[in-house]
Amino acid sequence: MTLPPRNGGDRPKRFSPRPTTPEKKPFSMRSGAPRTSQPVVAAKRALAEDGTEREGDRIAKLLARAGIASRREVERMIEDGRVKLNGEVITTPATLLKSLRGVSVDDKAVGPIAPPRLYRFHKPAGLITAERDPTGRPTIYTALRNALPEGTPRVMPVGRLDVNTEGLLLMTNDGELKRALELPSTGIPRTYRVRTFGDISQSRLEDLMQGIEIDGVRYGPINANLERSAGRNKWIEMTLTEGKNREIRRVLEHLGLEVSRLLRTRYGPFELADLQRGSVVEIPQVQVERFRKTLKPA
């Protein structure tokens, strides 16, 4: 990168990266051992000499936006030496690029970044929210193969629903949008309807707005309301913004209730509505873009 001459000098100043010392060889986080002597691509300089000008985006971010995987998964791919630029192994997710031209994953060329797309999927109970299951249990992709129209790009789930939870699961081809929708810091509310068995009062449910700690785990505020009751069988609507693993089940079991059905009905502004179990509907692009503009910075 060439910078303007300083103080009127006629020789441009050029940036030269500092040589890597033997103590700073590339290092594998998993094995703790130095990497093999494969050709590598070093990270480009993120800022100009004045500290203001960036050149491109991190490759992990670009690959996530291209739908290869989430940013965290892409970073693991880079760590494992699976990502290359013009045939050379990339060793750091901080590598800056202006496009994905010449980039390959597992020696397969990566296509250009497509516009972000978002889908509403009614996940049935009994499916694992994963691409594959080591024990052979059916996954959400078992249903998606039949539900998604031909030519749909690779899609990833936004967050997870456990095997026994059903309802709205958002799917997207954009890893950055997925990340933004999942982060607790964005404060996106998720609403569930829960069928329970046991005794509970509305006033006790309202205490959940203060948050609750269970077995050393702190859960944030939950807005919970009794919908209807038939003896000890009750339907409760619950809205939260964190979505920790099995959060609703653990909180209600802590209150002495048995959960017999758990259904997610809303994620942010997107509703399950009357979407049939196992069905998928694409959210119009104009709604996706409008929603993206409302997201808090991650």
Side-chain angles (χ1 to χ4, degrees):
M1 179 175 63
T2 303
L3 297 178
R6 185 177 294 177
N7 298 327
D10 55 2
R11 289 176 61 87
K13 182 177 179 180
R14 297 181 180 274
F15 168 74
S16 298
R18 295 179 180 175
T20 303
T21 62
E23 292 76 21
K24 296 183 180 179
K25 288 181 179 179
F27 181 81
S28 171
M29 294 175 65
R30 292 194 174 186
S31 65
R35 292 193 182 276
T36 59
S37 56
Q38 294 174 306
V40 300
V41 177
K44 294 183 181 179
R45 188 170 174 82
L47 300 175
E49 291 267 308
D50 60 4
T52 58
E53 184 182 351
R54 287 195 58 173
E55 293 184 357
D57 289 307
R58 287 176 175 245
I59 188 171
K61 177 179 179 179
L62 292 176
L63 287 174
R65 289 205 57 208
I68 298 301
S70 68
R71 191 186 295 191
R72 184 175 298 177
E73 290 168 337
V74 169
E75 290 173 354
R76 284 196 287 265
M77 291 177 177
I78 292 172
E79 181 186 326
D80 292 339
R82 297 168 57 190
V83 182
K84 297 179 181 178
L85 175 60
N86 298 325
E88 296 185 349
V89 175
I90 290 177
T91 62
T92 170
T95 300
L96 296 176
L97 298 175
K98 293 183 178 179
S99 74
L100 290 173
R101 183 177 300 174
V103 175
S104 63
V105 176
D106 296 331
D107 295 320
K108 295 180 180 178
V110 176
I113 297 174
R117 297 170 72 175
L118 195 61
Y119 301 82
R120 292 186 300 126
F121 171 49
H122 187 157
K123 174 194 172 297
L127 298 182
I128 306 295
T129 306
E131 194 162 355
R132 61 184 64 87
D133 181 67
T135 62
R137 292 176 297 177
T139 74
I140 56 171
Y141 290 93
T142 307
L144 287 168
R145 273 194 295 271
N146 299 322
L148 286 169
E150 187 175 350
T152 301
R154 177 185 181 274
V155 291
M156 301 166 282
V158 175
R160 291 179 178 272
L161 293 177
D162 67 41
V163 63
N164 294 317
T165 302
E166 57 189 296
L168 179 62
L169 183 62
L170 297 179
M171 308 291 298
T172 181
N173 66 324
D174 190 310
E176 281 299 293
L177 179 57
K178 165 183 165 71
R179 177 172 177 266
L181 287 166
E182 291 175 342
L183 285 174
S185 60
T186 57
I188 298 174
R190 307 107 193 254
T191 299
Y192 300 79
R193 293 186 70 235
V194 197
R195 187 172 63 195
T196 66
F197 179 79
D199 295 317
I200 193 72
S201 65
Q202 179 60 40
S203 61
R204 196 171 179 203
L205 289 175
E206 288 173 359
D207 290 340
L208 295 176
M209 282 300 294
Q210 308 303 317
I212 188 172
E213 185 171 323
I214 304 172
D215 297 331
V217 178
R218 182 69 186 177
Y219 298 100
I222 299 174
N223 185 2
N225 295 283
L226 280 172
E227 283 192 328
R228 65 177 186 265
S229 176
R232 301 186 71 195
N233 292 291
K234 297 174 174 61
W235 278 96
I236 303 173
E237 184 182 73
M238 305 179 73
T239 299
L240 57 151
T241 59
E242 285 188 330
K244 289 187 174 75
N245 184 35
R246 297 180 61 84
E247 178 171 349
I248 287 180
R249 294 182 187 275
R250 288 177 176 172
V251 168
L252 292 179
E253 287 168 3
H254 179 76
L255 297 179
L257 299 174
E258 296 178 22
V259 175
S260 58
R261 189 179 180 192
L262 179 55
L263 175 76
R264 182 154 70 192
T265 59
R266 178 189 286 265
Y267 200 113
F270 308 112
E271 296 185 73
L272 180 65
D274 57 357
L275 186 64
Q276 296 298 306
R277 186 181 288 109
S279 299
V280 180
V281 172
E282 182 169 5
I283 298 168
Q285 190 70 30
V286 63
Q287 292 184 25
V288 177
E289 289 302 324
R290 187 184 305 131
F291 175 63
R292 280 170 59 117
K293 293 177 182 178
T294 67
L295 292 176
K296 299 176 184 177

